[in-house]
Structure formats: structure tokens, C-alpha cells
Amino acid sequence: MSTVSRRELVHLLAAVPALAQSGAMYAPRFFSKDEYAWLDQLTEALLPGEPDSPGAREANVCYFIDTVIHWGDAALKRQWRVGLAAMQSLALGPLETVAKLAGNETNPTTDADKFFVTFKRMTIDAYCQSEIAQKKVFGYKGSHAVKDFPGCG
């Protein structure tokens, strides 16, 4: 089993903005190129970009997921490999796949239904931790001291 220190993981994840800005082609470390492309389509279908808001692709969600799974244990790797295959076996496009599985989220019965919850959670976690979402969506201004806290009684 591969292990990564917290420090190494922070350095890896910090490279995401530089990777995106450089235009470099990313070679997935865990997923195959086909799996990575399918994951990219699914994450973008779940969190699509809009003119005033970045989507999963702009936030490099797939890079984050690939990195986490790459350093994960064998059970996590198997869960993602089998889960993505189950989602693809529906033989639908990415938008239709996400819509169908989201409709079954409260009462999952199939392997794809059950994996969708894991997929959705990881996608949202990755998106929320991205620099572009933190700044453009959540209005994060950076770490700085403030004298007053407006709105706090």
C-alpha cells in the first residue's frame, strides 16, 4: 500500500492551479485515460460551469479525485473502479446518468445508485476545496486579520 504524508498531499493539491494555468496535459495516476475522461464528463454534469461560476472542470475536480484515490487503500481503489464502471454500464450520456442516479439517491438499489452518493460527495468536496470555487463562488478573500466582524452581534 502506498502512503503519502499530509505535507506531500498538500504540495500535490497545491499544484492544481499551476497545472491548469500551464495548459499541461495531465496523465492520470490511478484512473485509465478512458475512466478519467468519463469521470470528467460526470463531474461536469453534476457541477457545470456557468458564465459567472466555475464548474467542476475549471476547479480541477478530476485531478483532486485522481490524487486522493491514487493514494488511497485497495478498498477505496476498488470502490471507485467498480463504481465508475457501474455508472458507465447504464449506457447513458453523462447528464442522463447523473440525472437518473440523482433520482434514486434517497432509495439506492443498484451498485450505480449506491456509488453515486460516494461520487457526489467526493465531487462536491473537491469543488469546495478548489481555489477557484473558494474565491469565485464563496467569496474567500484570503487570510488576513480583521478588526470587526460585521453582522456578528
Side-chain angles (χ1 to χ4, degrees):
M1 175 175 95
S2 302
T3 60
V4 64
S5 71
R6 188 179 347 204
R7 182 179 301 264
E8 288 173 299
L9 184 58
V10 168
H11 287 294
L12 288 169
L13 297 177
V16 171
L19 178 68
Q21 290 172 357
S22 72
M25 292 297 298
Y26 174 67
R29 295 183 293 167
F30 170 71
F31 296 109
S32 70
K33 288 185 180 191
D34 289 340
E35 288 170 328
Y36 193 81
W38 176 237
L39 180 63
D40 180 61
Q41 293 171 25
L42 291 170
T43 58
E44 187 66 18
L46 183 65
L47 294 170
E50 298 177 1
D52 60 341
S53 178
R57 192 169 289 132
E58 290 175 87
N60 294 302
V61 167
C62 287
Y63 174 84
F64 180 96
I65 293 172
D66 186 58
T67 301
V68 169
I69 306 307
H70 172 74
W71 292 106
D73 63 19
L76 182 66
K77 290 176 179 183
R78 184 180 188 297
Q79 177 188 31
W80 276 82
R81 188 90 62 210
V82 170
L84 276 181
M87 291 174 78
Q88 196 161 23
S89 73
L90 298 174
L92 301 169
L95 288 171
E96 295 82 7
T97 299
V98 168
K100 176 181 175 54
L101 297 175
N104 300 334
E105 191 172 2
T106 57
N107 188 26
T109 55
T110 69
D111 289 341
D113 291 340
K114 293 171 187 169
F115 178 72
F116 180 75
V117 175
T118 300
F119 159 78
K120 180 179 170 184
R121 184 177 298 127
M122 177 77 84
T123 299
I124 292 170
D125 286 350
Y127 183 80
C128 291
Q129 292 181 52
S130 73
E131 182 179 14
I132 195 167
Q134 287 180 11
K135 290 181 177 177
K136 289 190 174 184
V137 177
F138 304 122
Y140 178 69
K141 303 289 187 223
S143 299
H144 61 280
V146 292
K147 183 178 177 183
D148 298 311
F149 295 90
C152 294

